[in-house]
Amino acid sequence: MSAFDFRPYIWSRNTEAMKKKVSGLLPKQMPHQFTVCEIEPHKRDGGGIVYFTFSASGTQDKVKKIAEELVSAVNIELSTRGQRRWYDFEPARSLPVRGVPFSEDIVRMLPSKKIKVEFVGPDLTVEQLYREFREFGLILDIETQPTSNKDTPRWAIVHYSKLRGATRARNCAHGDVVGSTRLLLSYVREYHTNVVLQWFKDHTKFTIPLAAAALIAAIYAIFDPIREFFVENKITHRFDLSQIPILGNMRKAAMRSLLRRDSSSGSEEMSAWTGLFDQKDRLVSILNEPPESFVVVTGPHGSGKTKLV
């Protein structure tokens, strides 16, 4: 579905213009001789990485603290301006990159809310993982590798509530070293299941009778109107071809010629009604009645039903 996301096209139309916009978000006056060296856009994950230099002296911890102060100054400037884009509801924010960014365009490695953290060294506890990844966004769950699982390297999965938190962690903490453990981060592909279908699968005692009832209702809803349609047409002769004047006249002419061809002499006609004159009178009386019923002529083969008709 990422092919339908139009935001990367907005960023990729003019990379230089995007760099100028990011540069415009930075404060004009920064301490410690803050100088921007390079801006690396991340079209798929969103945002970009700003490489900068500054002047500082002292221990490693002191230099790190000064770098964090510079990032805080940038965040204060962004919160003051309240920069928002029409296609994004979250305000712009800066975070320190503690690891080595891994910029890639692998098709299958799409961003997701779950981050797989591989440990190159001793395992980290849930508390250590929480302190390491909480600043990037709200965490829903942290899943550690079971002790029975002997796969290497060891891993843990951090599940964020929003996609933005996962992309922040992936770009800012990949390659970070916590204690003596190096962290390698990658996205975990998410498989979404349909809640309704899963409920139907888990409750077959209810779903099977419901499915049968739905099938019966569907059959009745489909075939009952068809039955009514044909019965109504049979009674009203709506589509009877004999109702067409030309075809009706042709049919009557064919019936007359058939009757003339099959009609017998007077003696034969009398012989056909021998002993049945009372039945003949009854048949005539039935045929003279209004056409509210019908007459069925039955008998063995060759008994003269056609002649009777």
Side-chain angles (χ1 to χ4, degrees), residues 283-299:
L283 179 60
V284 171
S285 64
I286 292 176
L287 294 176
N288 289 331
E289 293 178 357
E292 296 179 353
S293 61
F294 55 91
V295 178
V296 180
V297 181
T298 61

Side-chain angles (χ1 to χ4, degrees), residues 27-59:
K28 302 301 181 182
Q29 300 294 330
M30 292 284 286
H32 304 286
Q33 299 179 9
F34 177 88
T35 305
V36 176
C37 299
E38 182 185 355
I39 298 177
E40 178 186 323
H42 280 220
K43 301 176 183 178
R44 187 175 62 182
D45 293 356
I49 296 179
V50 179
Y51 295 89
F52 63 92
T53 61
F54 62 96
S55 177
S57 61
T59 61

Side-chain angles (χ1 to χ4, degrees), residues 274-287:
T274 303
L276 298 175
F277 289 103
D278 54 343
Q279 299 295 332
K280 179 180 179 180
D281 297 337
R282 180 169 177 268
L283 179 60
V284 171
S285 64
I286 292 176
L287 294 176

Side-chain angles (χ1 to χ4, degrees), residues 101-239:
F102 177 32
S103 181
E104 41 75 24
D105 57 353
I106 302 175
V107 177
R108 291 291 182 180
M109 293 183 63
L110 295 175
S112 67
K113 296 180 182 179
K114 292 184 178 181
I115 294 291
K116 183 178 182 180
V117 184
E118 295 182 352
F119 306 125
V120 183
D123 294 359
L124 298 184
T125 62
V126 175
E127 183 179 357
Q128 290 174 312
L129 291 171
Y130 178 81
R131 287 200 299 264
E132 179 72 12
F133 293 100
R134 177 60 183 88
E135 68 172 316
F136 303 115
L138 181 63
I139 298 176
L140 290 180
D141 188 21
I142 297 177
E143 177 187 351
T144 58
Q145 184 177 355
T147 55
S148 59
N149 192 336
K150 304 301 181 183
D151 294 343
T152 55
R154 304 285 294 178
W155 52 265
I157 294 178
V158 181
H159 189 186
Y160 283 93
S161 62
K162 293 183 178 180
L163 184 63
R164 179 62 61 85
T167 56
R168 288 168 179 166
R170 171 69 169 72
N171 288 279
C172 295
H174 178 79
D176 189 17
V177 178
V178 180
S180 60
T181 303
R182 186 165 179 261
L183 306 180
L184 302 178
L185 277 63
S186 60
Y187 294 115
V188 178
R189 188 184 301 179
E190 294 186 87
Y191 296 93
H192 299 281
T193 58
N194 192 302
V195 179
V196 177
L197 293 179
Q198 189 63 34
W199 187 89
F200 272 91
K201 293 178 181 179
D202 296 338
H203 301 80
T204 54
K205 292 182 179 179
F206 302 100
T207 56
I208 292 177
L210 288 176
L215 180 62
I216 295 172
I219 293 174
Y220 178 79
I222 294 174
F223 290 101
D224 189 65
I226 297 175
R227 180 188 64 82
E228 292 181 358
F229 175 78
F230 282 105
V231 170
E232 182 179 354
N233 292 335
K234 186 69 174 178
I235 296 174
T236 59
H237 301 285
R238 182 183 303 172
F239 300 105

